[in-house]
Amino acid sequence: MNVRFAMAAGAVVLALVAWTGTTGTYAGFPDAALGNPTNTAASGALTLRADYQSTTCALVGSQATSTTCTGSIAPTTTAPAGVTSSITNLGSAPASRLTESVTAPSCAPAQLADAASAARPMLPRYNTGFRAADPWGGTSAITLSGGGDYASTVVSQAQPNPLISLGSTYGLGIWFKTSTTVGGPLFEIATNATATSGGDDRVLYMRANGTLAFVQNTSGATTSSSKAYNDGAWHFAYVTMSALNLVLGVTSSTTLYVDGVSAGTGGGLLVGYGADTGYWHLGWAPTTVTGLSSAYFTGSLSEFVVFDNAGAPAAPSTAQRASQAAFDTWAASATDRWPLGDSGTTTFAGPYPVIGATSPCTMLDLTWMFANPDGTAASGIRLSAFATGAAHTVTAPAPGVTQTMTISTARDPTYDAYVSGLHLYAPLSLTVGTSPASAWMLTFSWPGAAAEFIA
Amino acid sequence: MPLVWLSCAVAAVLLSLGVTGTLASWTQAVITNDTNTVATAQAVILRESSGAASCLSSAAASNSSTCSTINKYGGTATPLTPGTNQVTTVTFTDIGAAAASSFVLIPGACSQSPAVGSGTPAAPNLCTSGDLTVAISCSPGTTYSSGSAWTDLAYAAAAPGALPASLTHTGAWAAGGSVTCQFTVALIAGAAVSDQGITLSQPLTWTLKQ
């Protein structure tokens, strides 16, 4: 009887289990859930560093979009020349979403402005330095290394002859600072616009012993100082020229003032002046005229003034030399005045002596090659054709990659000796941006005079 | 004669049984049950797959598991720049025997590195500024089709920090059926330069209900 009961009870249990299972009332399974804890995205970052000529220039895109770099990524010596630098991508934006380009907005030779006659600037050459310390603590001075640097005007000027302007006084003045022991020319006028002798006159130069001498005509009549001025201090040399019609004949009178005091006189009966027409030069005069070992000046020059309007003032007094403002007042009547405070980045558009309206920038060829990744921004094209403002595109480096670039210059077949040493201002810039274009971009620019090409 | 021998044999067998007691009496009843079965309930099980990666909700006994191998925002390997986006497609399949009636997305808190306000310049809040947007759209099937996209479980391109507390699709989802969701993370063309170099993260939880 027990066995039968047990069997019957088991059957009931099995029946219940089967019934509940198949109908789902015992379905205690929870809902299905999946958690995704790792859903991430990132914005890229633009960070670049330029390494060039022992200088580094860096940009972090979240902090700035452009920077002005010192020095130059281009050759700073006379063409032909070449220099290699690099751009390193320190950011995270993938190269596929980056663009890189280089550009220069324009090209023209740098000038030294004529404050009295804007049409007659000087063009500096070779290693002429800009914005050097001037006599008053400012920066209106240029530096010349003695190694070929000089500046000359672009307009030929006829200088008056005092002998035919009796009673008139003409003046020429310049601030100088030098410690040279080999001497050197401060200024002169000549028929050639370059460092080529011809018709040289009104030559003021320092002898090796530091004394000053002024050649007042091509026959060699000279007015000299007995005191030396190569003491490394600023001095103002001022030469006045005049003529008197005396009973016995025309007499010229030349006085060399230094720091407002007469340092020497010259001229005399029947000693004339040249009625020269030519280009003013600073820092150069032929050794055949000066007798020096070098045709170039070493030191600083400031405020070259020319009074050829027959009304040259007396030499400036101590007070008139005491400040820039006082000197400006004294020099207000100058017919030409080159303060020499130029930054080296203002340019002259021509026309030029010898080559006329042709831009000197057509006479220098540029090659700009990239590697890793490779690219060509310019391949032997004229600097004038490159510097149009157009972007020259290359492939940007990937994050963590250093891309090298080589910029080289060469003389174009049309190169004319007149442009030799001119400072061709074509400020370069390099930009890395995004594709598609956006406000995210980094631009390195080299706008300073140090970045000029030397023809 | 043969019949005699047969009768003797039967008699001998009966005698033997009677002596051993096997048929001494009829005391047991035997029944054989050859159909004893039981069944568990039918369940929904969620599988998530994207490319070669795949995860199952049933990886945990609770039918609720964590899937860290599928990054729906595309990851950080190719950082975004303005005007670019990255699209990730994920397919969900109910591999359980039960049909589902709703599918729920619950976004977690959006966070970023570097933290908001830190660094120079101060890091902006990319979770909420709107410069970085997330768009979510799902459609039935194993491939995404914008033409048949759900309208309830959807999020038009907007800041991830502005996602609602939950997004729910209500409707029958047959056992074995699939849904494919597309995630588009974009940095707008006018993104601020201060948006650079920020990594954003946001957990997402998916629930398939019977």
Side-chain angles (χ1 to χ4, degrees):
Chain A
M1 184 61 185
N2 288 336
V3 173
R4 290 176 181 169
F5 177 78
M7 292 177 63
V12 170
V13 170
L14 287 174
L16 284 173
V17 168
W19 178 74
T20 55
T22 53
T23 58
T25 53
Y26 189 63
F29 292 113
D31 296 330
L34 272 174
N36 298 125
T38 310
N39 305 298
T40 57
S43 58
L46 301 183
T47 302
L48 294 170
R49 187 188 71 224
D51 295 282
Y52 57 97
Q53 304 201 29
S54 302
T55 304
T56 294
C57 199
L59 261 177
V60 177
S62 61
Q63 300 176 355
T65 57
S66 63
T67 187
T68 297
C69 303
T70 59
S72 176
I73 55 170
T76 55
T77 56
T78 307
V83 65
T84 297
S85 52
S86 67
I87 291 289
T88 300
N89 185 348
L90 300 173
S92 61
S96 61
R97 291 175 175 170
L98 296 177
T99 61
E100 182 178 11
S101 63
V102 294
T103 187
S106 59
C107 180
Q111 70 166 12
L112 299 171
D114 184 336
S117 181
R120 294 197 288 260
M122 289 191 175
L123 300 186
R125 297 174 189 254
Y126 297 105
N127 293 318
T128 301
F130 305 95
R131 291 285 174 89
D134 66 22
W136 306 286
T139 56
S140 289
I142 60 171
T143 57
L144 302 173
S145 68
D149 315 340
Y150 71 100
S152 57
T153 53
V154 296
V155 176
S156 180
Q157 296 174 251
Q159 296 302 300
N161 183 346
L163 286 181
I164 57 175
S165 303
L166 298 179
S168 300
T169 300
Y170 303 91
L172 304 169
I174 193 167
W175 285 91
F176 66 94
K177 183 178 76 171
T178 183
S179 300
T180 182
T181 57
V182 298
L186 302 178
F187 62 75
E188 69 131 40
I189 194 167
T191 54
N192 292 313
T194 56
T196 303
S197 63
D200 305 278
D201 197 18
R202 292 166 166 81
V203 184
L204 179 65
Y205 65 97
M206 178 176 282
R207 297 190 178 101
N209 63 6
T211 60
L212 294 177
F214 178 71
V215 177
Q216 67 187 54
N217 64 29
T218 52
S219 65
T222 302
T223 301
S224 305
S225 75
S226 57
K227 183 179 176 182
Y229 299 96
N230 57 343
D231 56 2
W234 281 105
H235 299 283
F236 183 67
Y238 183 55
V239 179
T240 59
M241 300 175 290
S242 61
L244 297 174
N245 188 6
L246 301 179
V247 176
L248 297 176
V250 174
T251 300
S252 67
S253 175
T254 302
T255 304
L256 170 61
Y257 297 90
V258 179
D259 299 332
V261 177
S262 175
T265 57
L269 182 64
L270 301 179
V271 177
Y273 298 99
D276 300 302
T277 296
Y279 302 92
W280 284 109
H281 292 65
L282 290 178
W284 175 85
T287 56
T288 53
V289 174
T290 63
L292 299 174
S293 60
S294 172
Y296 300 96
F297 176 75
T298 302
S300 299
L301 298 177
S302 179
E303 294 283 3
F304 178 40
V305 292
V306 175
F307 300 90
D308 62 5
N309 55 357
S317 65
T318 298
Q320 289 171 316
R321 289 181 284 106
S323 68
Q324 176 76 69
F327 186 83
D328 290 346
T329 301
W330 175 82
S333 63
T335 49
D336 291 285
R337 179 185 171 195
W338 293 272
L340 306 181
D342 306 78
S343 64
T345 59
T346 54
T347 57
F348 178 66
Y352 308 90
V354 183
I355 62 174
T358 302
S359 170
C361 296
T362 65
M363 299 180 183
L364 201 68
D365 294 341
L366 178 72
T367 297
W368 194 339
M369 306 294 290
F370 291 77
N372 191 38
D374 295 347
T376 301
S379 181
I381 64 173
R382 290 176 172 175
L383 186 55
S384 58
F386 176 85
T388 61
H392 305 269
T393 303
V394 295
T395 303
V401 171
T402 294
Q403 181 181 44
T404 59
M405 53 187 178
T406 300
I407 302 175
S408 54
T409 56
R411 291 182 173 182
D412 188 82
T414 62
Y415 187 90
D416 188 283
Y418 168 73
V419 305
S420 179
L422 288 180
H423 288 223
L424 304 184
Y425 184 60
L428 302 177
S429 63
L430 183 150
T431 298
V432 173
T434 60
S435 177
S438 72
W440 292 21
M441 64 172 58
L442 303 181
T443 298
F444 296 94
S445 59
W446 289 267
E452 292 167 343
F453 294 91
I454 307 300
Chain B
M1 188 63 179
L3 184 58
V4 174
W5 283 107
L6 178 60
S7 300
C8 291
V10 171
V13 169
L14 291 173
L15 180 61
S16 172
L17 291 172
V19 171
T20 59
T22 304
L23 291 178
S25 64
W26 298 88
T27 59
Q28 295 184 8
V30 177
I31 297 175
T32 299
N33 298 116
D34 59 355
T35 307
N36 304 306
T37 60
V38 66
T40 58
Q42 293 176 335
V44 290
I45 298 175
L46 187 61
R47 181 181 67 195
E48 176 185 359
S49 58
S50 180
S54 181
C55 299
L56 292 173
S57 62
S58 58
S62 62
N63 203 23
S64 177
S65 65
T66 298
C67 180
S68 301
T69 56
I70 297 177
N71 190 330
K72 293 184 177 61
Y73 286 177
T76 60
T78 306
L80 296 165
T81 53
T84 64
N85 63 65
Q86 50 197 28
V87 178
T88 304
T89 301
V90 179
T91 297
F92 297 94
T93 302
D94 177 10
I95 63 169
S101 62
S102 66
F103 190 44
V104 182
L105 165 62
I106 299 176
C110 178
S111 61
Q112 70 175 58
S113 176
V116 176
S118 64
T120 303
N125 192 333
L126 210 53
C127 286
T128 61
S129 68
D131 282 4
L132 185 142
T133 64
V134 172
I136 303 172
S137 182
C138 303
S139 69
T142 55
T143 57
Y144 174 74
S145 173
S146 59
S148 58
W150 291 342
T151 56
D152 44 8
L153 200 166
Y155 187 64
L163 272 163
S166 67
L167 290 170
T168 301
H169 170 71
T170 302
W173 181 342
S178 296
V179 169
T180 299
C181 295
Q182 179 173 282
F183 299 80
T184 303
V185 179
L187 197 62
I188 65 171
V193 294
S194 57
D195 290 338
Q196 295 183 42
I198 297 175
T199 297
L200 178 148
S201 179
Q202 185 172 36
L204 301 173
T205 300
W206 306 85
T207 303
L208 188 62
K209 297 182 177 181
Q210 288 192 52

